[in-house]
Amino acid sequence: CWEFANSTARLAAAFTAEDIGKVAYQESDETFWWLKDHAPAAWVKVGGGGAGQSVVFAWVNFNAVGTLSIRASKNVASVTDNGAGHYTINFAEPAPDADYAVSINVRGSTSSRITSQVFKDVTPTTTSFNVVCIAEGTGLSEDPQSVMVAVFR
């Protein structure tokens, strides 16, 4: 999830085909945008900017290789490393209920493609949820270089 100060900054940024489908938060009007195309950049508003609209409740971007480190976040207190490819996302402020939706993008190592699963084997709560990242070729859990999570409520 990218964060931009305003629409000028969001529209001026350069993107690649690999960026399509990612989400950006625009701080000036508290809206969220989905990147539909990269050349030229085409955005679709997906939330925020008004009362009663679904917005990103929390988001986090973290490195999971080696020592886990959060690069940037909003309303995420911490990410717990539960072993290779297994993480718990802990909210700073609890959700009103556990009926939220989660979108995840992962970037694997140079040697593997990684998929992700949310809520695997653990029911989400108002304070946290689990994510599992699995290498497609082996089916084994693996730590990706980047995990980007957006929680919508």
Side-chain angles (χ1 to χ4, degrees), residues 10-101:
R10 179 175 49 82
L11 295 172
F15 302 99
T16 67
E18 294 170 349
D19 295 324
I20 293 172
K22 294 184 181 174
V23 175
Y25 172 70
Q26 186 170 294
E27 189 175 4
S28 62
D29 60 358
E30 298 183 345
T31 54
F32 293 88
W33 298 82
W34 174 73
L35 186 62
K36 181 178 178 181
D37 199 356
H38 73 290
W43 293 91
V44 175
K45 183 178 174 183
V46 293
Q53 293 194 20
S54 179
V55 297
V56 172
F57 171 75
W59 62 266
V60 64
N61 177 330
F62 65 94
N63 172 13
V65 175
T67 302
L68 188 145
S69 62
I70 295 176
R71 293 185 184 100
S73 68
K74 182 172 184 177
N75 197 31
V76 172
S78 64
V79 177
T80 306
D81 188 341
N82 301 316
H86 292 252
Y87 314 99
T88 301
I89 312 299
N90 302 292
F91 299 131
E93 294 293 325
D97 54 48
D99 296 330
Y100 44 82

Side-chain angles (χ1 to χ4, degrees), residues 71-132:
R71 293 185 184 100
S73 68
K74 182 172 184 177
N75 197 31
V76 172
S78 64
V79 177
T80 306
D81 188 341
N82 301 316
H86 292 252
Y87 314 99
T88 301
I89 312 299
N90 302 292
F91 299 131
E93 294 293 325
D97 54 48
D99 296 330
Y100 44 82
V102 177
S103 175
I104 300 177
N105 286 310
V106 295
R107 182 172 51 124
S109 66
T110 56
S111 62
S112 65
R113 181 177 166 104
I114 296 178
T115 60
S116 59
Q117 297 178 4
V118 182
F119 313 141
K120 181 167 176 47
D121 302 326
V122 179
T123 302
T125 70
T126 60
T127 58
S128 68
F129 63 93
N130 284 18
V131 173
V132 177

